[in-house]
């Protein structure tokens, strides 16, 4: 897949990444995804799984993805850890759990590192709270 254009002016970073879905026998199957990050939701990243039935987004902590490239991390429904694939290449394993099932995926660490670097260029690590739309959130809570 090719990278989507970097829309920094719009406050969005997107990157197409082909992940491997690991089945119960340990075999990998290509899975097209779009990793995205938005300045308006500065603590989160979304992996959208592109399927024939439609797109399936999964949103979780940007910090979790970044830390998971160097050490196993995660609680609950998302776990991220560095690993080596069957061919000896560095990968990031992303495990997702829900009441509907469990999915184990992996992506080349170089692709994930490129995405994370681009997201940090948009909103540096530690500066996320400066980009929180607090006034908009308060307005939404008061009008709900």
């Amino acid at each position: 897949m090719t990278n989507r254009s970097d829309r920094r002016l719009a406050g969005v970073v997107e990157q197409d990444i082909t992940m491997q879905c690991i089945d119960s026998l340990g075999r990998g199957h290509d899975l097209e995804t779009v990793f995205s990050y938005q300045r308006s939701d500065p603590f989160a990243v979304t992996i959208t799984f592109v399927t024939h039935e439609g797109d399936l987004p999964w949103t979780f902590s940007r910090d979790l993805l970044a830390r998971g490239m160097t050490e196993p991390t995660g609680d609950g429904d998302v776990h991220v850890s560095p690993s080596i694939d069957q061919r000896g290449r560095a990968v990031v394993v992303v495990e997702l759990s829900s009441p509907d099932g469990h999915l184990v995926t992996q992506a080349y660490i170089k692709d994930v590192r490129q995405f994370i670097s681009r997201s940090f260029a948009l909103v540096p690590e530690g500066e996320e709270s400066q980009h929180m739309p607090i006034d908009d959130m308060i307005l939404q809570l008061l009008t709900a």
Side-chain angles (χ1 to χ4, degrees):
M1 278 179 132
T2 59
N3 287 346
R4 293 175 185 259
S5 61
D6 187 353
R7 300 183 311 187
R8 285 188 202 185
L9 295 177
V12 175
V13 172
E14 291 183 334
Q15 185 171 330
D16 295 341
I17 297 178
T18 300
M19 298 184 81
Q20 292 282 309
C21 174
I22 309 302
D23 68 18
S24 61
L25 300 175
R27 297 176 300 205
H29 306 275
D30 283 351
L31 187 59
E32 303 304 325
T33 67
V34 178
F35 281 54
S36 59
Y37 177 79
Q38 298 181 35
R39 182 183 294 139
S40 63
D41 193 2
F43 290 101
V45 295
T46 299
I47 300 176
T48 300
F49 298 92
V50 180
T51 71
H52 296 294
E53 291 90 29
D55 294 349
L56 302 168
W58 198 293
T59 302
F60 58 97
S61 164
R62 175 173 75 163
D63 183 59
L64 178 71
L65 183 61
R67 284 187 303 135
M69 290 190 300
T70 58
E71 63 183 323
T73 188
D75 287 332
D77 60 351
V78 180
H79 292 237
V80 182
S81 60
S83 189
I84 302 293
D85 71 6
Q86 293 178 342
R87 294 184 178 152
R89 295 173 293 195
V91 295
V92 176
V93 175
V94 179
E95 296 184 57
L96 305 171
S97 298
S98 77
D100 295 327
H102 184 79
L103 177 66
V104 179
T105 64
Q106 65 185 27
Y108 294 124
I109 201 163
K110 66 178 181 60
D111 295 335
V112 177
R113 186 175 288 121
Q114 179 185 36
F115 168 75
I116 286 293
S117 294
R118 292 172 63 220
S119 78
F120 285 153
L122 184 64
V123 176
E125 186 174 20
E127 294 183 15
E128 295 90 350
S129 61
Q130 296 174 24
H131 297 275
M132 289 293 296
I134 299 297
D135 292 337
D136 293 341
M137 292 171 51
I138 291 171
L139 182 61
Q140 287 178 359
L141 289 172
L142 294 175
T143 59

